[in-house]
């Protein structure tokens, strides 16, 4: 077991601070075969907050038939101690999901789109173009109600059926969502095939479409071990919001080749070494992921959790 923390060497070309958008409670747990009890989910969110995370994607108001692991969204939010100053966004795929989110007192929601035709049909039962007609009423109403709206785009870098995705195609999808009124765009490497120069090309394409880098976030999966290098490439392009999942939990129930998300602990270790502020207590976060791994019955795939976890 390692007992140290990384030496810090500040790179002035990188941001001073990064906002970690914690997706483990939603994107992580939605891929579990077994349903995690509401009490465990609520404690997970509390422990993540105790570790210093300030943006915690709590759950998803999708139809239970799509993601049965999150069918308890309303029950979770009813018992969750939503702390002042913390952000608890939820996923709302349509107007019914938005209704439920508003009923639960949510003030930050997200929609999820596809950068490719095939995934749009498989995941949303819409064509690439038809998906926007589904999102527009949800986004428009959410903005009118005073909610913040995040837009996720999946398969930005590659699609298991179509292969590599043209950066301009991905950027065009994202730009249309932002034009509807979304305030942040998260670019998802759903199957983990991105590499650093590809990341730069997509970010440049988004900026060329009028989406400022300050409104962009990145969401990497670690299928080929590229999530951290891709994150560093995004930081060098000025991105300051990075999605990550405690313990590396997650995947995508509609894309079999998608493995876990970038582990929050691995991200924090890198940010610490770069001298980039983030506000997270790494030891407390590792303890939380070890605790959750015990509930899930398997070890965390995070390298940092493995290195820093207490020995039995």
């Amino acid at each position: 077991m390692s007992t140290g923390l990384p030496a810090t060497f500040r790179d002035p070309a990188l941001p001073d601070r990064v906002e970690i958008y914690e997706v483990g409670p939603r994107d992580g747990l939605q891929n579990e075969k077994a349903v995690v009890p509401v009490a465990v989910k609520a404690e997970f969110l509390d422990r993540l907050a105790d570790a210093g995370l300030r943006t915690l994607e709590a759950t998803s108001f999708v139809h239970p038939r799509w993601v049965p692991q999150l069918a308890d969204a309303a029950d979770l939010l009813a018992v969750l101690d939503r702390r002042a100053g913390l952000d608890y966004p939820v996923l709302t795929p349509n107007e019914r999901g938005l209704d439920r989110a508003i009923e639960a007192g949510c003030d930050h929601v997200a929609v999820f789109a596809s950068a490719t035709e095939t995934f749009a049909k498989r995941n949303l039962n819409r064509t690439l173009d038809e998906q926007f007609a589904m999102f527009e009423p949800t986004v428009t109403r959410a903005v009118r109600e005073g909610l913040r709206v995040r837009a996720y785009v999946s398969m930005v870098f590659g699609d298991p059926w179509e292969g590599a995705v043209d950066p301009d195609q991905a950027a065009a999808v994202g730009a249309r969502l932002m034009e509807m009124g979304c305030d942040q765009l998260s670019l998802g490497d759903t199957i983990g095939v991105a590499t650093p120069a590809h990341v730069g090309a997509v970010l440049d394409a988004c900026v060329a479409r009028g989406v400022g880098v300050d409104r962009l976030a990145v969401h990497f999966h670690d299928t080929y071990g590229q999530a951290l290098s891709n994150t560093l490439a995004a930081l060098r392009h000025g991105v300051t919001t990075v999605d990550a999942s405690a313990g590396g939990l997650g995947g995508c129930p509609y894309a079999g080749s998608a493995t876990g998300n970038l582990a929050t602990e691995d991200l924090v270790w890198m940010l610490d070494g770069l001298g980039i502020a983030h506000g997270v207590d790494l030891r407390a976060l590792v303890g939380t992921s070890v605790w959750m791994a015990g509930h899930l019955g398997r070890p965390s795939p995070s390298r940092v959790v493995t290195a820093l976890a207490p020995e039995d």
Side-chain angles (χ1 to χ4, degrees):
M1 180 185 74
S2 170
T3 57
L5 293 174
T8 298
F9 293 89
R10 182 80 183 103
D11 184 341
L14 296 175
D16 293 330
R17 185 176 183 86
V18 162
E19 175 68 26
I20 299 175
Y21 196 107
E22 174 59 49
V23 300
R26 194 277 301 175
D27 195 21
L29 296 184
Q30 78 172 13
N31 206 46
E32 292 300 309
K33 289 183 172 60
V35 175
V36 176
V38 167
V40 174
K41 291 178 179 176
E43 185 171 352
F44 187 33
L45 283 156
D46 282 341
R47 285 172 175 258
L48 292 169
D50 288 341
L53 288 153
R54 290 295 174 263
T55 303
L56 301 159
E57 192 170 60
T59 188
S60 175
F61 283 102
V62 299
H63 195 288
R65 187 170 60 247
W66 295 4
V67 185
Q69 297 88 337
L70 302 182
D72 55 9
D75 294 335
L76 171 62
L77 291 174
V79 301
L80 179 64
D81 177 19
R82 284 178 266 183
R83 306 182 193 184
L86 271 62
D87 189 9
Y88 296 91
V90 299
L91 213 61
T92 53
N94 51 38
E95 285 200 273
R96 176 55 188 143
L98 179 61
D99 288 339
R100 296 174 64 203
I102 292 172
E103 288 168 10
C106 300
D107 60 8
H108 190 182
V109 298
V111 296
F112 55 96
S114 172
T116 67
E117 188 80 38
T118 305
F119 193 62
K121 289 177 179 176
R122 287 174 172 263
N123 191 33
L124 303 170
N125 198 29
R126 301 286 195 283
T127 66
L128 187 65
D129 193 58
E130 287 171 348
Q131 66 179 335
F132 298 105
M134 181 177 76
F135 299 133
E136 189 161 18
T138 303
V139 174
T140 300
R141 182 170 156 228
V143 172
R144 187 174 65 245
E145 296 276 352
L147 279 65
R148 286 177 293 149
V149 186
R150 175 183 241 219
Y152 282 102
V153 181
S154 298
M155 302 296 173
V156 165
F157 299 91
D159 176 297
W161 303 279
E162 297 184 19
V165 178
D166 182 343
D168 192 59
Q169 176 177 318
V173 170
R176 285 187 67 175
L177 292 167
M178 298 300 278
E179 288 163 4
M180 288 180 191
C182 296
D183 57 84
Q184 188 177 67
L185 176 63
S186 177
L187 302 167
D189 184 19
T190 314
I191 58 173
V193 296
T195 52
H198 193 174
V199 171
V202 170
L203 294 173
D204 288 343
C206 288
V207 171
R209 287 271 181 174
V211 183
V213 73
D214 59 315
R215 302 176 72 193
L216 295 173
V218 289
H219 185 118
F220 295 117
H221 288 239
D222 207 31
T223 313
Y224 296 95
Q226 302 296 298
L228 273 180
S229 58
N230 291 333
T231 299
L232 183 57
L235 297 182
R236 293 198 183 284
H237 270 72
V239 171
T240 58
T241 300
V242 179
D243 297 1
S245 175
L249 296 173
C252 177
Y254 299 100
S257 57
T259 57
N261 292 284
L262 167 64
T264 311
E265 293 84 357
D266 297 3
L267 172 62
V268 168
W269 178 277
M270 183 181 78
L271 295 177
D272 281 344
L274 292 167
I276 297 175
H278 50 74
V280 177
D281 181 329
L282 181 57
R283 295 287 183 178
L285 183 59
V286 167
T288 295
S289 289
V290 170
W291 170 84
M292 178 53 80
H295 281 282
L296 298 176
R298 64 175 187 279
S300 165
S302 163
R303 300 290 184 89
V304 170
V305 171
T306 300
L308 297 181
E311 295 178 346
D312 294 331

